[in-house]
């Protein structure tokens, strides 16, 4: 309601300005700021590499290109935001090397576990809508997922102790001992005598037969399956498909109009989506669906689409920056969640506690979100001075998840040398 009222006031102010009226509005909370006359851009339609070409940042470009050669990266997308203004957005290398298509900031890429940050924001939106609470239990008599199709297979009473917050913080009791179910589709099919890859309901039933590895809330273990459950909670509580809820209630309000759930195969990719490449692990493997065919690890090696809110989103780094600007608590870009929700997502407890959606939110104000699987590596670094650096590659490396530590080091180097040279502008607006 607060957002709608603000939008109405801004609309009245804009209308008054058109007819030449001088409007002065005030309230007990103080002066209402003037209307921002700029029009938000549809970023993936207007951004080009040329818009970030500047001789002052020639050295930054050379550093990024050197980093790509060092790690044999086919393509990289980099966006830099300062105090909620997009000041730099550029692609390097190839979006599709075989077709000689250069990477542009308008290209969208898989962002793997960065998807968890989006999902966490969706949960916060539902909490603000009064449709759930982080304290709600997931299963059990008063839980959210109470359908007998789930509960009939449970044998461990500890499932009834899992809360929504436990899932967000990877404290639900799940581990990957015996394999991560989100990346073990062939094994799940074989062990459960399935003829087709399990849908979310079937996968959930196969997992709920197992005992939890620890009592929920007492420890933590990074869990993709936990974020699949959060995706299903969003669907159950909202009554609509996860992707549609996220687009209509989280992403579109944030100004992100070109974010989608990924497809598994190259021929099904989105119009402006990149091609993905493996590094050292480039050999062919059996397809996830037990078809018997051999394929590229990036295309058919895993059921990427089934990851949903755990790791299936594709986006440009520019739109990802816009999303971060909408959940960071700064005033320049209106947030889609309240200050209380921003504070909850970024609250720091200790080194043993994951933040909500973020990997880590240090008490200094530095926030981190990473994502990695075959064909991609993504890193968001939000710094205490208000700068946010985002890099996503279309190539995986032999370092796997550890690769993002090197990208963080690259960011430190580039910030020290080139932060002062970043232009004072805002590419978020036309």
């Amino acid at each position: 309601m607060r957002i709608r009222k603000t939008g109405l006031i801004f609309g009245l102010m804009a209308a008054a300005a058109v007819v030449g009226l001088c409007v002065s509005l005030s309230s007990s909370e103080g002066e209402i700021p003037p209307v921002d006359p700029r029009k938000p851009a549809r970023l993936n339609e207007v951004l080009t590499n040329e818009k970030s070409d500047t001789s002052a940042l020639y050295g930054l470009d050379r550093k990024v290109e050197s980093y790509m050669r060092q790690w044999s990266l086919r393509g990289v997308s980099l966006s830099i935001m300062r105090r909620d203004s997009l000041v730099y957005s550029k692609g390097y290398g190839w979006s599709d090397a075989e077709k000689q298509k250069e990477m542009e900031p308008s290209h969208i890429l898989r962002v793997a576990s960065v998807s968890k940050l989006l999902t966490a924001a969706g949960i916060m939106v539902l909490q603000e809508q009064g449709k759930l609470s982080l304290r709600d239990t997931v299963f059990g008599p008063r839980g959210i997922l109470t359908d007998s199709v789930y509960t009939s297979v449970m044998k461990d009473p500890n499932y009834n102790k899992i809360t929504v917050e436990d899932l967000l913080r990877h404290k639900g009791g799940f581990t990957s001992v015996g394999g991560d179910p989100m990346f073990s589709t062939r094994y799940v099919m074989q062990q459960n005598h399935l003829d087709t890859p399990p849908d979310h309901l079937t996968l959930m039933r196969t997992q709920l037969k197992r005992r939890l590895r620890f009592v929920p809330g007492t420890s933590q273990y990074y869990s993709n399956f936990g974020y699949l459950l959060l995706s299903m909670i969003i669907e159950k509580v909202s009554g609509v498909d996860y992707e549609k809820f996220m687009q209509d209630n989280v992403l579109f309000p944030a100004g992100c109009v070109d974010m989608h759930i990924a497809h598994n195969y190259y021929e099904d990719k989105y119009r402006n989506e990149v091609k993905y490449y493996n590094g050292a692990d480039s050999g062919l493997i059996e397809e996830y669906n037990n078809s018997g065919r051999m394929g590229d690890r990036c295309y058919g090696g895993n059921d990427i689409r089934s990851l949903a809110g755990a790791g299936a989103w594709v986006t440009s780094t520019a739109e990802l920056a816009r999303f971060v600007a909408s959940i960071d608590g700064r005033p320049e870009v209106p947030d889609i969640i309240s200050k209380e929700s921003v504070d909850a997502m970024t609250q720091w407890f200790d080194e043993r506690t994951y933040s909500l959606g973020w990997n880590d939110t240090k008490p200094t104000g530095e926030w981190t979100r990473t994502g990695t699987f075959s064909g991609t590596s993504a890193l968001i670094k939000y710094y205490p001075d208000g700068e946010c650096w985002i890099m996503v590659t279309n190539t995986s490396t032999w370092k796997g998840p550890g690769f993002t530590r090197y990208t963080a080091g690259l960011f430190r180097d580039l910030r020290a040398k080139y932060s002062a040279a970043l232009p004072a502008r805002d590419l978020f607006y036309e």
Side-chain angles (χ1 to χ4, degrees):
M1 184 63 70
R2 174 178 60 82
I3 294 175
R4 288 198 293 270
K5 285 182 178 178
T6 303
L8 177 59
I9 292 172
F10 281 4
L12 292 172
M13 292 176 68
V18 170
V19 297
L21 296 178
C22 179
V23 178
S24 176
L25 297 177
S26 62
S27 69
S28 59
E29 296 178 353
E31 290 288 330
I32 295 177
V35 176
D36 189 336
R38 299 174 299 174
K39 180 182 178 183
R42 294 177 69 91
L43 296 172
N44 295 352
E45 295 179 6
V46 301
L47 289 180
T48 62
N49 284 334
E50 287 70 23
K51 290 193 174 184
S52 289
D53 275 341
T54 170
S55 58
L57 295 174
Y58 177 82
L60 182 150
D61 290 343
R62 301 291 79 77
K63 287 280 189 180
V64 173
E65 290 165 355
S66 175
Y67 187 70
M68 292 175 63
R69 288 191 296 271
Q70 176 187 355
W71 290 99
S72 301
L73 305 177
R74 299 296 185 92
V76 158
S77 181
L78 172 67
S79 287
I80 306 170
M81 182 172 66
R82 174 183 285 161
R83 293 185 288 278
D84 278 7
S85 293
L86 184 65
V87 297
Y88 190 86
S89 190
K90 197 170 186 180
Y92 299 86
W94 303 109
S95 68
D96 191 324
E98 287 72 24
K99 293 184 177 180
Q100 296 286 284
K101 290 185 177 180
E102 294 184 355
M103 183 77 79
E104 291 278 352
S106 57
H107 281 110
I108 59 176
L109 306 91
R110 295 172 180 170
V111 292
S113 284
V114 169
S115 303
K116 293 179 174 67
L117 184 59
L118 279 64
T119 300
I123 292 291
M124 304 311 285
V125 167
L126 284 171
Q127 179 169 252
E128 292 187 13
Q129 292 175 352
K131 295 180 178 178
L132 58 71
S133 166
L134 299 192
R135 296 186 299 273
D136 288 346
T137 52
V138 178
F139 304 106
R142 297 185 180 181
I144 298 172
L145 302 177
T146 58
D147 309 57
S148 61
V149 69
Y150 311 132
T151 58
S152 62
V153 299
M154 291 182 191
K155 297 181 176 63
D156 186 346
N158 282 324
Y159 276 103
N160 295 339
K161 299 177 182 178
I162 302 174
T163 67
V164 173
E165 185 169 355
D166 287 335
L167 296 180
L168 287 167
R169 297 195 189 279
H170 302 279
K171 292 187 172 186
F174 305 104
T175 73
S176 58
V177 175
D180 186 333
M182 305 306 299
F183 290 96
S184 306
T185 306
R186 290 180 60 249
Y187 177 78
V188 170
M189 291 176 64
Q190 292 165 1
Q191 291 298 306
N192 294 277
H193 309 291
L194 302 176
D195 296 326
T196 58
D199 59 16
H200 289 163
L201 176 58
T202 303
L203 180 61
M204 187 173 172
R205 282 175 56 84
T206 64
Q207 294 305 300
L208 296 183
K209 296 175 183 177
R210 302 180 176 183
R211 297 188 67 82
L212 293 173
R213 291 287 177 169
F214 57 86
V215 176
T218 63
S219 185
Q220 70 174 19
Y221 193 101
Y222 194 87
S223 174
N224 289 302
F225 182 70
Y227 269 76
L228 172 63
L229 291 181
L230 288 167
S231 307
M232 298 179 74
I233 287 171
I234 288 174
E235 291 187 336
K236 178 65 181 291
V237 171
S238 69
V240 298
D241 172 77
Y242 165 78
E243 181 179 22
K244 179 170 176 53
F245 172 84
M246 291 294 297
Q247 289 173 336
D248 291 348
N249 295 272
V250 179
L251 302 176
F252 292 168
C256 305
V257 299
D258 196 18
M259 289 187 175
H260 315 277
I261 295 295
H263 294 287
N264 291 331
Y265 293 99
Y266 176 81
E267 55 269 25
D268 297 321
K269 73 183 184 71
Y270 295 97
R271 175 188 56 80
N272 58 328
E273 187 177 359
V274 302
K275 182 176 181 179
Y276 304 100
Y277 299 90
N278 289 294
D281 58 344
S282 56
L284 298 180
I285 64 170
E286 287 191 69
E287 288 189 329
Y288 75 93
N289 54 14
N290 270 338
S291 66
R293 295 187 297 265
M294 303 295 289
D296 188 287
R297 192 179 298 271
C298 299
Y299 294 108
N302 291 299
D303 190 357
I304 303 299
R305 191 168 182 82
S306 185
L307 287 169
W313 285 99
V314 292
T315 176
S316 67
T317 58
E319 283 211 342
L320 195 52
R322 179 75 189 194
F323 171 75
V324 172
S326 301
I327 61 166
D328 67 353
R330 293 193 62 89
E332 294 87 353
V333 169
D335 286 342
I336 58 172
I337 54 177
S338 67
K339 181 181 184 301
E340 291 75 18
S341 291
V342 174
D343 290 345
M345 290 184 70
T346 57
Q347 184 178 4
W348 186 86
F349 290 93
D350 52 54
E351 296 292 344
R352 299 178 303 280
T353 304
Y354 280 105
S355 301
L356 304 180
W358 296 93
N359 290 83
D360 182 40
T361 52
K362 297 186 183 303
T364 59
E366 181 178 319
W367 309 339
T368 303
R369 181 65 252 183
T370 64
T372 305
F373 51 56
S374 295
T376 194
S377 179
L379 175 63
I380 301 173
K381 273 286 189 181
Y382 192 100
Y383 298 97
D385 61 4
E387 277 190 9
C388 178
W389 289 56
I390 302 174
M391 179 180 283
V392 184
T393 76
N394 67 348
T395 314
S396 53
T397 74
W398 63 275
K399 275 289 185 180
F403 173 65
T404 54
R405 292 198 299 270
Y406 295 88
T407 303
L410 174 68
F411 285 178
R412 285 193 298 270
D413 183 32
L414 294 179
R415 270 170 47 83
K417 289 183 173 68
Y418 303 107
S419 182
L422 292 170
R425 61 178 179 183
D426 193 354
L427 297 172
F428 283 145
Y429 296 91
E430 295 178 348

